[in-house]
Amino acid sequence: MCLAVIAAMAQHTADIEVSYNYRHFHRRGSEQNHQMILLAGTSCSKFYNPVTEYLDSLESTPEGKNTYNQMKMAGFTSGKMKDVPSRSLPMYVFKHKDGDMEVFDGNIASMFRYTEPYEAQVWEIGDSTKNILGYECVMASADYHGRHWTAWFSPDIPIQDGPWKLSGLPGLILEAREDAGQHHFVATGINSTTKQITPNLGADHYEKTDRISMLKTLRKFEDNPEAALGASLGVKIKAKERIEYDKTLDFLEIDYR
């Protein structure tokens, strides 16, 4: 079955590769910035964090697992664990525009996967414009899973796709921000490509679930990480100090509440 999935995915070739900066905020209030990549073709696309893909690819073989274990051991003995690559954003979004959308996401304690029907957002196109990376972009807005999004798309790049789950405009989305200012995607580079849209080689590490169940589970972890991590490990972890979180900060999708 795995070979069949890989063979099917390998038939899709991207036409464009877009780098995005994804800025969001940790519940402790600290700003987080992650590089994300969109490989997009006419019928399929893949949005992912390159460090996560590197580690999933590395750990897909016994030799790679051994290499990564050696990296972690070296980081531990030298006191430089921060230099060891980690899955700080274990996100993949595969848009199959003639079928389902496949999503992988999670945190340091739990990683999940689910599918849902591919549905482009219903956008209202405005008359404002702005220049992004030399492309004249048009503003559009839409409501999606509890948030209101404002996006900027380029009609000069006729690919109906964009960062994360966003798509459906008559041109590539180069910037998108939700109204609360907690999540912001902006393109930092665009290239033509013939790269294959390959599957997530670490898919077996992600537990199958549904979207709402995943969000509720991740919220429990965010609200009480010590208890959630202890439950997953079968031990009791006592917090050294009580950390106050900004309860107004939340996930990309907030319709799970």
Side-chain angles (χ1 to χ4, degrees):
M1 183 179 294
C2 290
L3 291 175
V5 170
I6 291 173
M9 288 295 297
Q11 295 174 5
H12 293 285
T13 301
D15 299 314
I16 196 167
E17 180 177 19
V18 190
S19 299
Y20 291 89
N21 181 67
Y22 170 36
R23 181 177 67 90
H24 63 106
F25 291 88
H26 189 275
R27 290 200 80 194
R28 296 182 186 181
S30 60
E31 181 179 314
Q32 308 285 311
N33 287 274
H34 298 277
Q35 181 194 10
M36 305 297 293
I37 301 293
L38 174 68
L39 291 176
T42 55
S43 61
C44 180
S45 69
K46 173 183 176 180
F47 185 71
Y48 64 98
N49 175 260
V51 176
T52 294
E53 185 188 54
Y54 164 69
L55 294 179
D56 285 339
S57 300
L58 191 65
E59 292 195 301
S60 66
T61 65
E63 297 80 6
K65 287 181 181 179
N66 183 56
T67 298
Y68 189 39
N69 287 334
Q70 290 178 2
M71 293 167 62
K72 289 187 286 187
M73 181 59 67
F76 178 76
T77 55
S78 65
K80 297 181 179 179
M81 283 300 293
K82 289 185 178 180
D83 295 337
V84 179
S86 63
R87 294 178 181 83
S88 58
L89 191 66
M91 177 196 290
Y92 296 83
V93 177
F94 293 90
K95 301 187 190 87
H96 304 279
K97 298 176 184 178
D98 57 352
D100 289 337
M101 184 158 51
E102 188 177 16
V103 180
F104 300 80
D105 208 348
N107 56 28
I108 61 172
S110 303
M111 297 193 296
F112 300 97
R113 60 186 296 185
Y114 64 90
T115 59
E116 60 182 349
Y118 169 72
E119 291 181 330
Q121 293 75 35
V122 179
W123 297 95
E124 181 178 344
I125 298 177
D127 54 9
S128 297
T129 62
K130 70 186 299 188
N131 192 283
I132 302 172
L133 296 178
Y135 293 93
E136 192 72 9
C137 296
V138 181
M139 186 184 75
S141 60
D143 293 317
Y144 186 63
H145 289 176
R147 291 193 183 275
H148 185 75
W149 287 88
T150 298
W152 300 86
F153 70 96
S154 171
D156 294 330
I157 309 176
I159 294 179
Q160 295 190 17
D161 218 310
W164 183 51
K165 297 181 179 182
L166 304 177
S167 65
L169 283 163
L172 182 68
I173 298 172
L174 296 184
E175 183 175 355
R177 181 198 303 265
E178 50 78 33
D179 279 3
Q182 298 174 11
H183 301 274
H184 182 203
F185 300 97
V186 61
T188 57
I190 305 174
N191 294 292
S192 297
T193 188
T194 57
K195 289 182 179 179
Q196 291 184 338
I197 300 176
T198 56
N200 175 6
L201 295 178
D204 290 344
H205 298 299
Y206 294 74
E207 178 185 348
K208 289 185 178 180
T209 186
D210 61 83
R211 184 177 68 88
I212 296 298
S213 295
M214 182 196 77
L215 292 170
K216 287 182 176 181
T217 299
L218 295 180
R219 171 51 54 223
K220 287 181 181 179
F221 181 89
E222 292 288 338
D223 290 339
N224 193 338
E226 292 82 11
L229 186 58
S232 67
L233 297 175
V235 297
K236 186 175 182 179
I237 300 176
K238 184 177 180 181
K240 294 182 180 180
E241 59 180 284
R242 185 65 181 173
I243 300 174
E244 293 298 326
Y245 293 93
D246 185 346
K247 295 182 179 180
T248 65
L249 298 177
D250 213 329
F251 303 130
L252 283 158
E253 299 162 294
I254 57 176
D255 57 339
Y256 69 94
R257 297 170 178 173

